[in-house]
Amino acid sequence: MPAYRPQEMAPRAWARAGVVGVLAVLVTALVWLPRPWGDLRAYEAAPVCRAGRSAEDCRTVTPAEVAEVERLRRGSRGAYRLTLRLADGSVRAVTMAGLRGGLGASVGERAGIVVWRGSAVEVVQGADRDTVTGSRLLAWRPPLVFLLLLTPATAAALWTAGWLRRRRRRLGRRVTGREAVPVGVVLVAAVVAAVGGLPIGLSASGPEAALRAGAWLLAGAAVAAAPFVLWTSARPPRERRDVAVGPRTPAEERVVHGFVRGDVPYSKEGFDRLVVGPGLLAATPDPAGRVARVRVPALEVVRVRESWPDEALPQGRGRAPTQVVECRDADREVLIVARAEDLPEVLGALRSTGRP
């Protein structure tokens, strides 16, 4: 069983997430978004239909009169429903997206329904116009929103992978979750940028405006996070302090709460008690310590230190603070975790192991 350690931040996992994010961004930007964006550009370049032109490459404008206006959301912006009466007396209701602030139409005013490639896409009133909800002119929204949500997350994952690698080289060991405060700051900034990108993608009048606003939002989040990242990165890493404990050989065998962790045969899951005695240290799951003993051999004691919060005894094994004996068994690391009050006898039992 591997040595019991605080949760470690793995740069490889973040790098994989970043690569997946980059691929998703590229697919969205190069495959998904171009077609609806191209449709929008084609529509904006299409002229009003005249005699002799096909309805596929021009816009047909049908005159109508506003019969009713219904706001679907409060405020000057947002969706609303127009009921239009056509020249032949028929009535048509369309829901408008409100991307350009609405037409400001009122009952009795003249308007026109714009049909392009077989479907109603806009309503115009003089120089003003607004987009019909669900039309192909809004097909750019889903890929754009996905892009605005995914880009900050991808950037944060790639930055995290690079930061963890640099930090690991600096420390000469892996970075624990408690030491990765800069990562937390960057992830919060990425969430802010992603969440802020959602209303941008849903309210922008076009892809260009949405991308421009999203870029400014991402840059602003990065600038806001930079001072905190630099400050927290400059702080020295927090280490567990050494503890001065004198060994005390037990006068007789007794059972204490504790466990052994490491890639060694005497480290077993569920063995959450230690038998300490003269010349004996063993792990056992038996509260009485009589059966299923696994002897701990003589080990080289490296140091005794404070425990991390997740190097705790199992629930119900007492609330006394724990301490950790870091040992070496040849080239393997072994941790012995026990209550602070029992540690002198654990050390004494360990140091007397194998002696006659």
Side-chain angles (χ1 to χ4, degrees):
M1 184 179 299
Y4 201 70
R5 281 296 191 190
Q7 185 178 5
E8 297 170 341
M9 302 288 287
R12 187 172 298 177
W14 287 99
R16 285 196 294 265
V19 170
V20 172
V22 168
L23 293 177
V25 167
L26 290 176
V27 169
T28 303
L30 301 179
V31 179
W32 189 8
L33 182 58
R35 182 171 181 177
W37 197 345
D39 284 345
L40 180 61
R41 288 176 171 172
Y43 170 76
E44 291 175 344
V48 176
C49 288
R50 308 222 180 251
R53 295 187 66 95
S54 168
E56 288 297 315
D57 57 7
C58 62
R59 316 178 193 181
T60 302
V61 182
T62 303
E65 180 182 296
V66 179
E68 184 181 350
V69 181
E70 179 187 357
R71 290 285 173 185
L72 302 183
R73 290 197 293 269
R74 294 181 179 179
S76 59
R77 295 181 64 86
Y80 59 99
R81 183 177 291 111
L82 286 181
T83 302
L84 302 170
R85 184 175 290 107
L86 306 183
D88 60 3
S90 62
V91 175
R92 183 167 185 175
V94 289
T95 302
M96 311 304 299
L99 294 181
R100 298 175 174 87
L103 298 174
S106 58
V107 176
E109 292 185 344
R110 304 297 297 176
I113 302 176
V114 182
V115 177
W116 181 64
R117 293 184 180 177
S119 61
V121 294
E122 279 192 323
V123 173
V124 297
Q125 186 181 37
D128 298 328
R129 59 178 180 156
D130 203 358
T131 309
V132 176
T133 300
S135 74
R136 66 176 63 204
L137 300 188
L138 296 179
W140 55 267
R141 271 184 171 182
L144 203 287
V145 168
F146 187 71
L147 199 61
L148 292 176
L149 290 174
L150 189 61
T151 300
T154 300
L158 293 174
W159 182 91
T160 298
W163 184 87
L164 288 173
R165 284 196 178 95
R166 292 191 300 271
R167 191 72 169 180
R168 186 174 181 176
R169 285 196 295 267
R170 175 184 171 186
L171 298 177
R173 59 171 174 78
R174 293 186 177 183
V175 182
T176 67
R178 298 178 190 85
E179 297 170 325
V181 176
V183 172
V185 174
V186 170
L187 292 180
V188 169
V191 169
V192 170
V195 172
L198 184 60
I200 289 175
L202 294 177
S203 63
S205 58
E208 297 92 340
L211 288 174
R212 187 164 49 249
W216 278 108
L217 183 61
L218 182 59
V223 170
F228 297 98
V229 170
L230 294 174
W231 176 62
T232 52
S233 295
R235 295 166 59 189
R238 183 185 178 189
E239 299 288 352
R240 298 283 88 180
R241 293 181 300 179
D242 289 356
V243 179
V245 179
R248 182 174 67 246
T249 303
E252 58 183 4
E253 286 188 13
R254 72 185 189 96
V255 180
V256 300
H257 294 296
F259 53 86
V260 180
R261 289 293 181 266
D263 189 16
V264 289
Y266 46 89
S267 173
K268 297 182 179 294
E269 189 69 37
F271 283 53
D272 55 2
R273 288 174 172 81
L274 299 172
V275 181
V276 297
L280 172 68
L281 177 63
T284 179
D286 179 19
R290 296 190 181 92
V291 297
R293 291 185 178 187
V294 179
R295 289 185 67 100
V296 178
L299 302 173
E300 176 190 354
V301 176
V302 178
R303 66 167 181 157
V304 181
R305 61 168 173 81
E306 296 175 333
S307 61
W308 291 101
D310 47 3
E311 289 173 326
L313 296 172
Q315 189 175 4
R317 300 294 187 264
R319 296 184 178 180
T322 56
Q323 293 174 347
V324 180
V325 184
E326 290 188 2
C327 307
R328 302 295 301 179
D329 185 346
D331 59 344
R332 294 171 293 186
E333 181 184 51
V334 180
L335 305 180
I336 302 175
V337 181
R339 292 186 299 188
E341 61 190 50
D342 298 324
L343 212 63
E345 290 194 351
V346 171
L347 276 174
L350 181 63
R351 295 194 174 187
S352 64
T353 297
R355 294 178 184 176

